[in-house]
Amino acid sequence: MTEETDEVDRIVGAWGAQRPDLDFSPLEVLSRVDRLSRHLDRARREAFRRSDLESWEWDVLSALRRAGEPFHLSPKQLLQQTLVSSGTMTNRIDRLVGRRLVRRESDPGDGRGVIVVLTEEGRVRVDAAITRLVDAEAILLASLSNSERDRLATLLRKLVIEFEHLP
């Protein structure tokens, strides 16, 4: 039984022939991660498009939905979860209010503050999008067994944690 090859194997093989002095094993892993990222990006964009959402809208709405009942967060909490600037978040909230996917309300815990609340329409859209997203991602991973998925998730978590702790 011969092992299948992919484009990364061909690229690494060509580089290996040209530069046998270098270790190309990092390319074998990270070039595949990059290619998978592109497939994932396409699947996500399609899932969001089918729910009439942009990816940035998904980021905000999904943060609100994950917060649980009553589906609200402060703008500061949204900033922390979406990693965008304050000005960008204000613009995003304004646009989502305009689409009636969220609304602003006075913060009951702080009369001077504001909270962002997911509307029923926003909840319907984000729920449809997450269903489509999970289905699309399951297709991307269909060639792996559950134990292979678990091992891969563990290894990727280890890498992500390492990257996130870099200065």
Side-chain angles (χ1 to χ4, degrees):
M1 178 170 153
T2 60
E3 193 173 310
E4 287 187 62
T5 61
D6 64 4
E7 186 62 20
V8 173
D9 290 319
R10 290 183 277 285
I11 291 168
V12 168
W15 272 117
Q18 297 301 310
R19 293 292 310 271
D21 58 310
L22 296 177
D23 172 14
F24 290 100
S25 61
L27 282 179
E28 292 188 73
V29 174
L30 297 178
S31 291
R32 287 185 175 98
V33 169
D34 181 56
R35 287 171 179 268
L36 287 170
S37 174
R38 292 181 214 173
H39 290 289
L40 178 58
D41 185 53
R42 273 190 235 121
R44 285 182 170 198
R45 278 184 287 152
E46 178 60 17
F48 303 150
R49 184 196 63 76
R50 291 180 57 211
S51 299
D52 192 27
L53 294 174
E54 297 291 329
S55 61
W56 65 266
E57 292 173 315
W58 160 259
D59 287 343
V60 176
L61 297 177
S62 67
L64 291 164
R65 181 65 170 98
R66 290 189 315 266
E69 289 280 358
F71 309 120
H72 67 77
L73 294 169
S74 70
K76 182 179 179 179
Q77 290 170 312
L78 285 169
L79 281 171
Q80 292 167 339
Q81 291 195 32
T82 59
L83 302 175
V84 298
S85 71
S86 176
T88 298
M89 181 54 67
T90 298
N91 180 273
R92 288 179 176 186
I93 293 168
D94 289 345
R95 291 173 66 188
L96 289 167
V97 167
R99 290 193 63 198
R100 297 191 168 120
L101 301 177
V102 303
R103 66 180 179 274
R104 286 186 177 95
E105 293 182 1
S106 295
D107 185 343
D110 175 6
R112 299 170 296 155
V114 171
I115 57 172
V116 180
V117 181
L118 186 65
T119 64
E120 181 61 22
E121 176 64 18
R123 190 192 60 74
V124 167
R125 296 261 184 104
V126 77
D127 282 355
I130 190 61
T131 300
R132 289 180 174 118
L133 179 60
V134 168
D135 290 346
E137 289 183 359
I139 291 168
L140 291 174
L141 296 174
S143 65
L144 299 178
S145 69
N146 287 341
S147 65
E148 288 171 326
R149 285 183 193 190
D150 290 344
R151 281 196 318 259
L152 181 57
T154 298
L155 293 170
L156 290 172
R157 180 182 305 108
K158 183 177 181 177
L159 277 176
V160 168
I161 288 169
E162 184 67 27
F163 278 104
E164 290 178 350
H165 287 96
L166 290 174

